[in-house]
């Protein structure tokens, strides 16, 4: 028995040593020389020193690909098509690529290292994504762990976006974090104010970017964002809509509600917004204002369990429970969901059980 354990330990030790040698060799010895990347059939050609991830190379060239997890290979957002030179698909990519996508040459650009010449195709709309500098004009406390950051655009000083879309905020290195990372944040402002981008950010314990936002970013400081990105938006369909969000999932709905107000949209919308305690809910007054100004909008805040000191005469329970209590059948509805992956998966299950057409459920997972 002892011999078997020793053998396993020895094999594991050798494997770990080999992996370490490979990492060190890759980092300090491997030289790939100069590599050329042809983008969208010669629309652009770049020549760089090989060795970095394709995502990093494109970002350095100001070609911004959505990368919500900051290149960790966990969001699946950074897909590009590689026509030549990408090498085999890695096991880290397969969970995010359907058989069809693999067939078409789609890859996660954060996982592909540039080692030789590449021929790639990126979605046309991403070629128009721009980088913006902005001044953080105001930081407002919304709850104990959520803040609104009001960014005034400088260069360019206007942004065109569809309410529901998001931007990527650049978090620079700071004491405690030596890397530069991008994180996705939904635009939470009035689209009529094209020189302003509001972000509603919830603090994530030990999170790189949210720690920077909450502890280092100051009013008056210049920041960089790029965008806009994403397909999450209100459809043109006049069908009644159900909005479901939790925490900072409120963000895109603020922008969408402004858009509806400007358009005098008469569409029927029921918005279920959940939190564990009363202290987790934000912007209740702004939602009341939308109720007064929109023709058929109802806001339903739902609290799982009010804290011992909190008074609450609104709905209690999970937001998904509130939805199933309220509706028998959602076959005629569209649904828009925003928040944590857990909340969204639970909501989709409930919506399907209430007869909603899956093709009419739109969501942005804050993964
Ligand atoms: C489309 C989209 C829109 C979004 N909009 C918003 C929004 O409007 N508001 C908002 O608040 N958030 C939003 N998010 C989430 C946001 O992008 C960030 O994920 C979030 O703010 C956390 O970033 P962070 O850098 O602080 O945390 P991270 O450093 O990314 O860490 C997140 C968590 O993962 C853990 N972690 C860190 N490193 C690792 C690792 N190597 N392996 C495993 N776990 C690790 C951390 O401990 C932490 O718990 C959105 C996300 C998406 C995809
Ligand atoms: S950036 Fe998230 S998977 Fe590539």
């Amino acid at each position: 028995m002892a011999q078997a354990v020793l053998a396993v330990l020895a094999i594991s030790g050798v494997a770990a040593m080999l992996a370490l040698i490979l990492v060190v060799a890759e980092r300090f010895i491997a030289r790939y020389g100069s590599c050329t990347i042809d983008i969208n059939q010669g629309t652009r050609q770049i020549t760089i020193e090989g060795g970095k991830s394709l995502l990093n190379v494109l970002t350095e060239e100001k070609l911004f690909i959505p990368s919500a997890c900051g290149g960790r290979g966990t969001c699946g957002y950074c897909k590009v098509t590689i026509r030549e030179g990408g090498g085999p698909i890695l096991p880290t990519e397969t969970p995010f690529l359907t058989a069809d996508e693999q067939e078409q040459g789609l890859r996660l650009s954060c996982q592909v290292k540039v080692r030789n010449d590449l021929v790639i195709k990126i979605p046309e709309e991403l070629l128009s994504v721009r980088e913006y500098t902005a001044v953080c004009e105001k930081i407002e406390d919304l709850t104990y762990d959520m803040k609104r950051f009001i960014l005034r655009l400088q260069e360019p000083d206007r942004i065109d976006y569809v309410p529901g879309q998001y931007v990527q905020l650049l978090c620079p290195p700071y004491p405690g974090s030596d890397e530069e990372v991008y994180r996705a944040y939904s635009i939470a402002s009035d689209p009529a104010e094209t020189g302003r981008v509001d972000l509603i950010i919830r603090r994530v314990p030990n999170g790189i970017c949210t720690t920077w936002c909450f502890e280092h970013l100051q009013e008056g400081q210049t920041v960089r964002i790029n965008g806009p990105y994403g397909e999450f938006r209100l459809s043109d369909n006049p069908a009644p809509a159900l909005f479901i969000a939790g925490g900072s999932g409120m963000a895109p709905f603020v922008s969408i509600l402004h858009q509806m107000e400007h358009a005098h949209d008469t569409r029927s919308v029921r918005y279920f917004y959940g939190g564990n305690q009363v202290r987790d809910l934000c912007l209740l007054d702004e939602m009341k204002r939308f109720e007064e100004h929109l023709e058929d909008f109802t806001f339903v805040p739902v609290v799982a369990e009010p804290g011992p000191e909190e008074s609450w005469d609104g709905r209690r329970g999970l937001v998904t429970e509130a939805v199933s209590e309220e509706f028998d059948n959602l076959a005629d509805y569209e649904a828009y969901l925003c928040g944590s992956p857990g909340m969204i998966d639970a909501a989709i299950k409930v919506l399907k059980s209430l007869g909603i057409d899956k093709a009419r459920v739109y969501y942005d997972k804050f993964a």
Side-chain angles (χ1 to χ4, degrees), residues 205-325:
N206 301 322
I208 296 173
C209 185
T210 54
T211 300
W212 175 69
C213 291
F214 277 65
E215 290 181 9
H216 299 271
L217 180 57
Q218 306 278 336
E219 288 178 357
Q221 197 171 325
T222 299
V223 299
R224 271 158 60 191
I225 57 173
N226 58 61
Y229 301 100
E231 298 301 316
F232 190 69
R233 61 196 59 187
L234 201 59
S235 78
D236 293 335
N237 195 331
L242 193 61
F243 294 175
I244 303 177
S248 56
M250 166 66 85
F253 294 116
V254 175
S255 196
I256 287 172
L257 289 166
H258 276 295
Q259 173 195 29
M260 291 182 69
E261 186 179 352
H262 293 308
H264 305 289
D265 199 329
T266 56
R267 188 173 182 172
S268 166
V269 174
R270 301 284 170 274
Y271 179 7
F272 289 78
Y273 178 57
N276 286 333
Q277 299 191 345
V278 181
R279 68 182 192 141
D280 295 306
L281 305 177
C282 72
L283 299 184
L284 302 187
D285 288 344
E286 286 193 29
M287 292 302 113
K288 210 169 268 166
R289 198 194 67 77
F290 282 120
E291 281 190 316
E292 285 158 13
H293 288 80
L294 284 165
E295 176 141 332
D296 191 3
F297 171 62
T298 313
F299 178 66
V300 186
V302 187
V303 172
E305 197 176 331
E309 307 292 309
E310 293 178 336
S311 80
W312 180 249
D313 51 14
R315 273 185 187 260
R316 289 173 186 237
L318 296 177
V319 80
T320 43
E321 291 165 351
V323 170
S324 10
E325 280 163 24

Side-chain angles (χ1 to χ4, degrees), residues 55 65-79 92 96 108-111:
L55 176 69
I65 308 292
S67 55
C69 70
R72 282 205 291 260
T74 55
C75 71
Y77 277 44
C78 61
K79 291 174 190 171
T92 45
F96 299 100
L108 295 190
S109 59
C110 70
Q111 301 298 300

Side-chain angles (χ1 to χ4, degrees), residues 68-69 72 74-75 77 146 166-167 181 183-187 199-211 248-249 251-252 338 364-367:
C69 70
R72 282 205 291 260
T74 55
C75 71
Y77 277 44
M146 272 194 276
Y166 67 94
V167 292
V181 299
R183 292 289 184 265
Y185 294 103
S186 304
I187 302 173
L199 306 178
I200 294 175
I201 300 183
R202 182 175 211 169
R203 186 173 194 153
V204 171
N206 301 322
I208 296 173
C209 185
T210 54
T211 300
S248 56
C338 216
D364 245 356
K365 284 187 181 178
F366 284 8

Side-chain angles (χ1 to χ4, degrees), residues 1 4 10 26 31 43 48-49 55 60 130 132 134 160 201 217 219 239 258 266 279 290 300 316 320 329 339 346 360:
M1 178 66 178
E26 176 89 16
R31 292 280 176 269
T43 304
I48 46 105
E49 193 62 25
L55 176 69
E60 282 169 14
R130 302 198 56 180
Y132 298 79
D160 255 343
I201 300 183
L217 180 57
E219 288 178 357
H258 276 295
T266 56
R279 68 182 192 141
F290 282 120
V300 186
R316 289 173 186 237
T320 43
N329 189 317
R360 302 215 295 179

Side-chain angles (χ1 to χ4, degrees), residues 94-122:
T94 44
F96 299 100
L97 299 170
T98 63
D100 265 2
E101 288 177 330
Q102 294 186 28
E103 184 88 359
Q104 289 161 25
L106 262 84
R107 302 288 301 271
L108 295 190
S109 59
C110 70
Q111 301 298 300
V112 175
K113 191 166 266 194
V114 182
R115 303 168 202 266
N116 43 257
D117 293 349
L118 295 177
V119 177
I120 70 168
K121 183 172 184 305
I122 63 180

